Amino acid sequence: MTITLQILGAADEVTGSCHLVTVGDYKLLLDCGLIQGSWRDEARNSDPFPFDPASIDAVILSHAHIDHSGRLPLLVKHGFRGAIYTHKATADLCRIMLRDAAYLNEKDAKLENRKRERKGLRPIEPLYTIQDAEAVFPHFQTLDYAERLEILPLAALRLMDAGHILGSALVELWLHSGKHDRKLVYSGDLGRSGMPVLQDPAIIKQADMVLLESTYGDRLHRDWDATRQELANLFREVTAKQGNILIPAFAVGRTQEIFYLFAKYFDEWGLGRWQIFLDSPLAIEATHAYAQNCDLFDDESSQLWRQHRDSPLLPNLTFTRTPEESMRINQIHSGVIIIAGSGMCNGGRIRHHLKHNVWRRDCHVLISGFQARGTLGRALVDGAKHIRLWGETIRVAAQIHTIGGLSAHADQAALTHWYAQFDPRPPVVLVHGEPVAKAVFAEHLRNTLAAPVCLPRYGETFDLK
């Protein structure tokens, strides 16, 4: 009986996770994410799937981030009729995030079609619509952590806490092959131990093959104490200069982690002297979803969020939902902290705030997460002297601070420790990493653990038998 794993996304890049598992006559997808990055990268989202969506029996969704969930509306639109198995909190977040992604698709298509109409060109269709996104929601079937479920006649599933974002899951998949089962473990995005808010990633000890992310496989994060001190120094320095701070932040995960840190160190970091704005409707909704699921947090974070269920987490925090409210922020030239999406600066309101601030020497931009190749955020991290926004060239005079210690992804040491718990060492297939990071991590695993490592090409198939 056939048991195979085919890599159909995130092979030599960080985004677009999508992996096809075949067991006998049944087909399962592990994630179905959007490709993010340059416009050339994102144009690939419109390409046909390399399989018939109607032939897929089920999807297992590791977590809600768009690079793992964002093509689900296309999958359903083109014929998928099965169940999408995921954690309840992930389903809650996806209802927010997929609607938001669809809204942006419709908005972008509308703006582009205005230009095309003036040029006499045919209009384009959005990648998918809000209606397409909402068609996904009836397919969700949710599981609790550690609950084992037979999802198909030849497959059983268990989700364990990945510690990455709310509801993120490690996937344990038992595949029945007649005489012997084969167990595939998929990391999704692996979180970090000892970080604020979420529980530490679960440890799994047995697998026949491991599909492992490698986002930071070539580096070590700054430890938490050093990161906390770095943030404290930054807020003291900028307060003295009366500048503004821009924080491009992922709406789900990073924003809520920043809020927790701001609440815990509010007095120590002198945050009462600032006006703090969360300028992202998506992040506002996601923050409410976090508050409703705080039983999944670690003990300290859960207690803090429960205390603020009926009161603001920060006394000087303002949620700005409308474009008019967002535009008014840019009339303030000092003393504001603006948290806005997108986290890689490729869209959203952060670009407007960059336009009004990044050319000023008293502006500070705090980069708090991974920046994919081809994104505006990556250009800022790499030291760009000028950026382009809406056809205008803007000088970068702001100070750019990269706070690597806030990352929600495990670094090389944490990835190695997590994999090292498997006994004996199963073959490990590295995905969700840029080529250099993957190659460095592969060599590290071979040298330190004698691990059998595979660096897959797009479309490559592995036989689990």
Side-chain angles (χ1 to χ4, degrees):
M1 183 182 296
T2 300
I3 303 181
T4 60
L5 167 69
Q6 187 177 21
I7 308 303
L8 297 175
D12 277 315
E13 57 192 330
V14 168
T15 65
S17 291
C18 185
H19 313 292
L20 177 63
V21 176
T22 301
V23 50
D25 294 330
Y26 294 95
K27 294 181 179 180
L28 294 161
L29 275 191
L30 300 174
D31 291 340
C32 190
L34 273 183
I35 301 164
Q36 298 173 298
S38 70
W39 67 268
R40 289 185 180 88
D41 292 327
E42 295 186 357
R44 289 185 282 142
N45 289 311
S46 299
D47 294 344
F49 287 105
F51 49 79
D52 178 7
S55 71
I56 302 299
D57 295 288
V59 175
I60 301 168
L61 179 60
S62 67
H63 65 289
H65 275 152
I66 287 295
D67 64 317
H68 292 257
S69 68
R71 277 191 291 171
L72 288 173
L74 291 174
L75 192 74
V76 173
K77 183 176 183 179
H78 292 291
F80 172 72
R81 295 294 178 266
I84 301 170
Y85 294 97
T86 195
H87 192 276
K88 176 185 178 298
T90 295
D92 291 345
L93 289 172
C94 275
R95 291 184 180 94
I96 299 167
M97 297 184 73
L98 292 178
R99 280 195 189 98
D100 181 76
Y103 165 77
L104 294 175
N105 290 337
E106 292 184 353
K107 180 181 176 182
D108 289 346
K110 185 176 180 180
L111 292 173
E112 177 63 22
N113 285 336
R114 288 178 185 170
K115 299 176 185 177
R116 296 176 72 86
E117 185 177 11
R118 290 192 292 268
K119 296 176 182 178
L121 301 175
R122 296 177 61 183
I124 61 169
E125 294 292 326
L127 182 64
Y128 53 81
T129 66
I130 293 174
Q131 184 177 1
D132 295 330
E134 291 177 341
V136 173
F137 305 157
H139 293 265
F140 285 131
Q141 292 195 26
T142 61
L143 289 78
D144 293 327
Y145 289 135
E147 175 187 357
R148 178 166 168 158
L149 180 69
E150 297 285 331
I151 60 172
L152 292 171
L154 299 180
L157 169 67
R158 182 166 65 192
L159 303 179
M160 302 297 287
D161 197 338
H164 174 64
I165 65 168
L166 184 73
S168 60
L170 307 167
V171 174
E172 293 181 280
L173 192 58
W174 288 267
L175 304 168
H176 311 312
S177 63
K179 293 184 179 180
H180 302 286
D181 286 354
R182 292 293 182 267
K183 184 182 179 185
L184 173 66
V185 172
Y186 172 43
S187 70
D189 285 356
L190 189 68
R192 300 168 59 192
S193 296
M195 290 297 288
V197 183
L198 298 178
Q199 302 279 359
D200 292 347
I203 296 298
I204 300 173
K205 292 185 176 292
Q206 192 278 323
D208 295 298
M209 181 174 286
V210 175
L211 183 59
L212 179 60
E213 70 123 315
S214 55
T215 312
Y216 289 111
D218 61 342
R219 71 194 73 177
L220 301 177
H221 295 317
R222 179 170 293 192
D223 67 53
W224 172 238
D225 287 338
T227 299
R228 181 178 58 80
Q229 189 59 51
E230 185 177 7
L231 287 166
N233 293 340
L234 170 63
F235 290 120
R236 280 196 294 267
E237 173 192 350
V238 181
T239 296
K241 295 181 179 179
Q242 285 299 296
N244 286 343
I245 298 177
L246 309 184
I247 306 179
F250 300 111
V252 176
R254 187 54 35 80
T255 294
Q256 293 74 35
E257 185 178 66
I258 289 170
F259 280 167
Y260 168 81
L261 296 175
F262 280 9
K264 182 172 181 178
Y265 300 107
F266 188 82
D267 294 327
E268 179 182 335
W269 293 354
L271 294 173
R273 291 171 284 185
W274 296 87
Q275 296 180 75
I276 303 174
F277 293 94
L278 177 56
D279 190 26
S280 167
L282 173 59
I284 292 168
E285 288 191 65
T287 299
H288 290 315
Y290 263 66
Q292 295 303 312
N293 287 278
C294 61
D295 56 306
L296 299 175
F297 299 173
D298 61 37
D299 291 342
E300 183 181 10
S301 303
S302 179
Q303 182 179 359
L304 178 66
W305 282 75
R306 289 178 194 279
Q307 289 172 353
H308 292 88
R309 271 186 168 169
D310 299 317
S311 62
L313 196 62
L314 303 169
N316 52 346
L317 173 63
T318 300
F319 289 165
T320 51
R321 291 178 171 83
T322 69
E324 293 75 19
E325 291 172 327
S326 177
M327 287 186 284
R328 282 197 290 271
I329 299 172
N330 285 317
Q331 299 173 14
I332 307 171
H333 299 296
S334 66
V336 299
I337 298 173
I338 305 167
I339 305 166
S342 68
M344 298 185 194
C345 306
N346 251 26
R349 294 179 178 179
I350 193 63
R351 293 167 69 89
H352 294 276
H353 297 302
L354 288 168
K355 178 180 178 180
H356 285 84
N357 288 275
V358 77
W359 49 269
R360 299 171 53 208
R361 295 189 182 278
D362 61 357
C363 172
H364 294 252
V365 181
L366 195 161
I367 301 292
S368 62
F370 181 80
Q371 307 297 309
R373 289 174 297 179
T375 63
L376 176 57
R378 181 66 164 262
L380 291 172
V381 168
D382 289 344
K385 301 300 182 184
H386 295 86
I387 58 174
R388 295 276 291 177
L389 291 170
W390 300 288
E392 181 180 351
T393 299
I394 300 172
R395 177 173 60 96
V396 178
Q399 295 186 47
I400 312 299
H401 307 266
T402 302
I403 312 293
L406 288 178
S407 176
H409 286 270
D411 63 4
Q412 184 187 86
L415 289 165
T416 303
H417 172 77
W418 184 80
Y419 172 75
Q421 307 310 305
F422 289 97
D423 185 23
R425 306 276 188 261
V428 55
V429 179
L430 298 184
V431 291
H432 203 286
E434 293 179 352
V436 170
K438 279 177 40 177
V440 170
F441 186 42
E443 190 68 15
H444 175 75
L445 288 176
R446 292 178 183 127
N447 290 338
T448 59
L449 298 175
V453 184
C454 304
L455 299 178
R457 301 179 303 274
Y458 178 89
E460 189 166 354
T461 299
F462 297 90
D463 190 339
L464 271 74
K465 293 184 68 176

